[in-house]
Amino acid sequence: MATNETINSSEQIEKSALAVFGGWFTSIHGYSSLTVCFFGIPTNLINISVLSRIDMRNPTNALLCWLAVADLLTMVPYVPFVIHFYCAFDPYDYSPEKFTFPWAVYMLFLINFVATTHTISNWLGVSLAVFRFVQLRSTTKGPVAKRRLYSTILKVITGVYVCSCLVLVPNYMSNKIVEYTDITTNKTAFFIEDIKLGTNDTKPIVLVNVLTYSILTKIVPCILMTVFSGSLLISLNLSGRQRRQRLSVTSNNARRENRQAKTTRMLLVVIILFLVTEFPHGLLILISTVVPKFYQNVYTPLGDLMDLVALVNNAINFLLYCIMSTQFRTKFLEMYFNKLSSFEDRERNQLTTSLNITTTSV
């Protein structure tokens, strides 16, 4: 997560075109992020409510449901952070009134917490790609096999949540709060310590933690998603040819395969969005560890943009599900608009009954 870590680090950013762009984007980051969060939080709640329904429970929906939970956990704590640091105060204000100790603690918590939820989301994306690939290749059918697979997926989800927290424990310890006292006012401001990435002053333990974070939580998941997404595209192409060949013979199987193909396309879009969001971020972190001044001159100016792109990725899945999944769209309309439809149906039935009674009486 991008933060204005210290006064010194911000002053060292060269006034390049990228730095100018970063400064402009920082000025609009607050309200644009709030807009995305105010859309994404309720829509992720809708995702969870629809995908967790008993009649919607299957391995794919379980992964998508807990992905929505991770997205929700990313966005909710981001709201007070962005209100305080970007809206209530000027983004480039480093006053003690803005950087109080409680808010520094909150910033530290948010940095670690969001790193964890992003890691969870990335590995759930990998699980989604792997599961879909295995499912398309599997010949095992029947309710017993489905229940067994659903149980396995729940264990995978639990493992992803737990392991993501454990893997990032060293990363949690890399960030510390430091204080700066203004000599003229004798007031103290609290900041996140500058890790001095890409310089000779970088601590070895910090360098190891950053490399571990970028590789295990960004690069490796994106590589795996790329491999299995390519495999899914190949399987999708092959199944499409086979479906067209059998269309005139077994229409029921063709319809089922058509639904599977639509689901696979939707999941591919979700996975591709992960790649577009997380792979560049992981590469920038990796390059920052080896190229001098890259962190200050490139990564920092792009930090707020990467945060917003990640938030958009957290918020957009609801639209994808509504557009690309008939089952989700139908269940959503049934759950959230059925009361109005039921009322209209009752009114229509009452009107029909009264007309019938009148006709009978005549």
Side-chain angles (χ1 to χ4, degrees), residues 106-139:
Y106 187 81
M107 183 190 293
L108 181 62
F109 156 76
L110 187 66
I111 291 172
N112 294 328
F113 187 76
V114 170
T116 306
T117 55
H118 276 308
T119 303
I120 291 170
S121 296
N122 290 342
W123 281 103
L124 285 180
V126 174
S127 304
L128 199 59
V130 172
F131 161 73
R132 195 61 184 175
F133 176 76
V134 172
Q135 188 182 41
L136 290 178
R137 296 277 180 168
S138 176
T139 57

Side-chain angles (χ1 to χ4, degrees), residues 299-316:
Y299 183 87
T300 299
L302 292 176
D304 288 327
L305 175 62
M306 289 186 291
D307 281 356
L308 183 64
V309 171
L311 288 174
V312 171
N313 187 37
N314 296 145
I316 202 172

Side-chain angles (χ1 to χ4, degrees), residues 26 46 60 70 95 113 129 134 246 275 315 343 346:
T26 295
I46 293 173
T60 300
S95 65
F113 187 76
V134 172
R246 296 195 302 264
L275 294 175
F343 176 78
R346 286 197 299 270

